[in-house]
């Protein structure tokens, strides 16, 4: 069995696209996923499945959500190894080491597709001090110095600039998903 982390974009935000986690878990079980564990209400799920075809599994989940709950939700699925690599490659790790307050300023915008390299390079040359970010093919690392609630560098900003969908998670959530997906099944 393969272990995956599933990130749903935009559920249970501002009273829109409401899905109870118990109902979401049942949906995953009905779609033949096993070891289903949800984390908080914002669409984070650790699962196992025999298939290695991530795109097909993402589509299966997306269609299942639309059929069961009546709305479209972008679905991003990554492996435990990819999540671990994203966390280890965090260019701002020194800013947050052993500092709980600073760690609350660390965000990851996971990209559904690879951004245009030229656009990413041009955007990387622009300063948004004191905010800092780094764009890779899979994720935008954001150190929101003034907090995510005050930054202009949110998911929508990067989606418009990079012309690809993204879903944001904070460091605490990313670490918890790594922990959940590494538990024995």
């Amino acid at each position: 069995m393969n272990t995956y982390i599933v990130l749903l974009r935009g559920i249970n935000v501002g009273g829109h696209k409401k899905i109870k986690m118990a109902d979401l878990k049942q949906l995953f079980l009905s779609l033949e996923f096993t070891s289903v564990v949800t984390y908080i209400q914002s669409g984070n799920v650790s699962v196992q499945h025999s298939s290695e075809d991530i795109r097909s599994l993402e589509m299966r989940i997306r269609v299942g959500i639309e059929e069961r709950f009546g709305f479209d939700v972008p679905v991003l699925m990554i492996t435990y190894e990819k999540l671990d690599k994203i966390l280890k490659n965090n260019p701002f790790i020194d800013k947050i080491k052993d500092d709980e307050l600073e760690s609350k300023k660390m965000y990851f915008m996971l990209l559904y597709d690879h951004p245009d390299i030229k656009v990413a390079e041009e955007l990387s040359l622009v300063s948004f001090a004191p905010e800092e970010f780094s764009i890779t093919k899979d994720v935008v690392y954001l150190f929101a110095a003034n907090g995510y609630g005050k930054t202009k560098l949110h998911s929508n900003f990067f989606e418009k600039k990079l012309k690809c969908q993204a879903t944001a998670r904070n460091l605490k959530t990313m670490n918890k998903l790594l922990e959940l997906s590494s538990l024995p099944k």
Side-chain angles (χ1 to χ4, degrees), residues 8-160:
L8 306 177
R9 183 175 184 272
I11 69 163
N12 298 333
V13 177
H16 301 288
K17 296 184 180 181
K18 290 184 181 182
I19 302 177
K20 292 180 181 175
M21 292 303 99
D23 295 338
L24 185 62
K25 182 174 182 175
Q26 287 305 310
L27 171 68
F28 276 90
L29 293 171
S30 74
L31 297 173
E32 301 176 354
F33 289 91
T34 60
S35 304
V36 179
V37 180
T38 61
Y39 176 65
I40 61 176
Q41 298 294 316
S42 58
N44 306 293
V45 189
S46 174
V47 298
Q48 288 190 330
H49 200 280
S50 58
S51 175
E52 293 182 9
D53 185 351
I54 289 179
R55 293 296 183 191
S56 175
L57 293 173
E58 287 173 336
M59 186 54 66
R60 181 187 294 190
I61 296 165
R62 193 169 186 161
V63 168
I65 290 171
E66 187 153 16
E67 288 176 355
R68 171 87 49 95
F69 302 107
F71 44 80
D72 185 40
V73 173
V75 176
L76 178 66
M77 180 179 277
I78 60 175
T79 63
Y80 169 87
E81 293 78 17
K82 186 171 182 176
L83 177 59
D84 187 49
K85 183 178 175 184
I86 287 169
L87 287 167
K88 285 180 178 171
N89 290 335
N90 181 355
F92 304 114
I93 196 74
D94 291 338
K95 289 184 176 292
I96 59 175
K97 223 172 215 173
D98 302 323
D99 188 334
E100 188 176 331
L101 181 62
E102 293 302 298
S103 71
K104 291 180 179 181
K105 298 175 182 179
M106 187 68 233
Y107 284 83
F108 304 80
M109 276 97 183
L110 293 106
L111 305 174
Y112 287 71
D113 296 301
H114 299 299
D116 179 285
I117 294 170
K118 186 175 180 179
V119 172
E121 287 173 354
E122 289 172 4
L123 183 58
S124 294
L125 297 175
V126 180
S127 174
F128 293 90
E131 313 291 294
E132 296 179 71
F133 64 92
S134 175
I135 303 169
T136 72
K137 66 179 183 149
D138 298 314
V139 64
V140 176
Y141 296 92
L142 171 66
F143 184 74
N146 295 322
Y148 194 74
K150 294 180 181 176
T151 187
K152 293 179 181 175
L153 303 178
H154 43 69
S155 293
N156 292 338
F157 171 85
F158 285 108
E159 285 180 331
K160 287 177 185 173

